[in-house]
């Protein structure tokens, strides 16, 4: 059974469930929120008595220096319906690669995120740690490459700049890397 629904007009929330071989249903939860992210809420969403491991990733906004300016925060925007679709694809990919993955939960911030605050919190449960740890690493990389979420760095000078994820296939960095690989193979 697949179902996506908005439970709160301020949050975009997607729940996808599928029946496992055992009595427990697999659960995939995706949430875009303008509110502070709760690590405990994400962990609780994937907790399962059939799992001995919960792998966790917390991506925080870091203070960075760019051209002599200090980053004071990030502003996130998203194409929410497409983000939910990409999340479902990501969960399908994770389950194809690591069939033991039981539950997946990803919460991503939208709007203003100060330095030190979480921008994304992700947890994956599995019976054993190895699959969950590999799945979480893959999920972070794929999330940055495919999820239509954009960030703008805001600096102490009050200037700002939209940033490009180098993992995205349409980024200039990714295109340059592909060109270099082609040139090396010739």
């Amino acid at each position: 059974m697949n179902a996506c629904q908005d439970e709160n007009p301020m949050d975009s929330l997607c729940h996808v469930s599928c029946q496992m071989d055992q009595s427990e249903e697999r659960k995939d939860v995706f949430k875009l929120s303008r509110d502070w992210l709760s690590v405990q809420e994400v962990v609780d969403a994937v907790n399962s008595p059939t799992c001995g491991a919960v792998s966790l990733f917390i991506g925080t906004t870091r203070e960075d220096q760019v051209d002599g300016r200090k980053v004071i925060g990030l502003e996130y925007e998203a194409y929410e319906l497409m983000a939910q679709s990409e999340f479902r694809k990501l969960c399908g990919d994770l389950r194809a690669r690591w069939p033991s993955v039981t539950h997946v939960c990803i919460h991503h911030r939208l709007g203003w995120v100060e330095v030190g605050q979480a921008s994304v919190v992700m947890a994956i449960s599995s019976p054993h740690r190895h699959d969950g740890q590999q799945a979480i690493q893959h999920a972070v990389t794929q999330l940055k490459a495919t999820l239509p979420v954009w960030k703008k760095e805001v600096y102490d000078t009050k200037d700002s700049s939209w940033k490009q994820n180098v993992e995205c296939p349409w980024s200039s960095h990714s295109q340059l890397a592909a060109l270099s690989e082609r040139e090396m193979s010739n």
Side-chain angles (χ1 to χ4, degrees):
M1 170 179 85
N2 289 339
C4 282
Q5 58 199 14
D6 286 337
E7 293 183 350
N8 179 335
M10 294 302 290
D11 294 339
S12 177
L13 183 64
C14 180
H15 290 277
V16 180
S17 298
C18 60
Q19 191 67 36
M20 291 177 57
D21 294 333
Q22 299 129 354
S23 62
E24 185 176 20
E25 282 191 5
R26 292 180 183 212
K27 180 174 52 177
D28 301 330
V29 180
F30 178 67
K31 179 179 177 182
L32 295 171
S33 177
R34 295 193 175 277
D35 296 326
W36 177 83
L37 301 179
S38 166
V39 173
Q40 192 61 53
E41 181 181 340
V42 173
V43 169
D44 289 347
V46 302
N47 200 21
S48 168
T50 65
C51 293
V54 172
S55 298
L56 179 68
F57 172 78
I58 305 169
T60 60
T61 300
R62 71 178 172 274
E63 185 179 289
D64 209 354
Q65 293 286 330
V66 178
D67 300 327
R69 303 171 295 178
K70 183 169 74 171
V71 174
I72 60 170
L74 299 173
E75 184 77 31
Y76 285 96
E77 291 185 16
Y79 180 1
E80 295 185 33
L81 290 176
M82 188 175 185
Q84 291 174 351
S85 174
E86 290 299 321
F87 171 72
R88 286 189 297 273
K89 289 178 193 175
L90 174 60
C91 289
D93 180 43
L94 292 172
R95 294 190 193 295
R97 291 172 183 258
W98 297 280
S100 71
V101 164
T102 305
H103 303 307
V104 178
C105 183
I106 301 173
H107 288 189
H108 201 298
R109 283 284 296 271
L110 295 179
W112 175 250
V113 182
E114 293 178 24
V115 166
Q117 292 182 345
S119 299
V120 63
V121 179
M122 178 185 309
I124 295 176
S125 59
S126 56
H128 305 282
R129 73 178 180 273
H130 183 73
D131 284 352
Q133 289 172 341
Q134 287 186 326
I136 203 103
Q137 179 66 41
H138 181 74
V140 170
T141 301
Q142 290 305 111
L143 185 81
K144 291 181 72 73
T146 63
L147 201 71
V149 174
W150 302 276
K151 68 181 175 185
K152 179 171 56 173
E153 287 182 342
V154 179
Y155 309 105
D156 57 351
T157 60
K158 302 303 178 204
D159 293 334
S160 60
S161 173
W162 288 100
K163 302 310 285 184
Q164 195 174 62
N165 282 336
V166 296
E167 295 89 350
C168 292
W170 58 83
S171 78
S172 57
H173 182 273
S174 180
Q175 291 172 359
L176 287 173
L179 181 61
S180 295
E181 284 180 25
R182 282 194 298 265
E183 289 174 353
M184 292 174 70
S185 65
N186 290 336

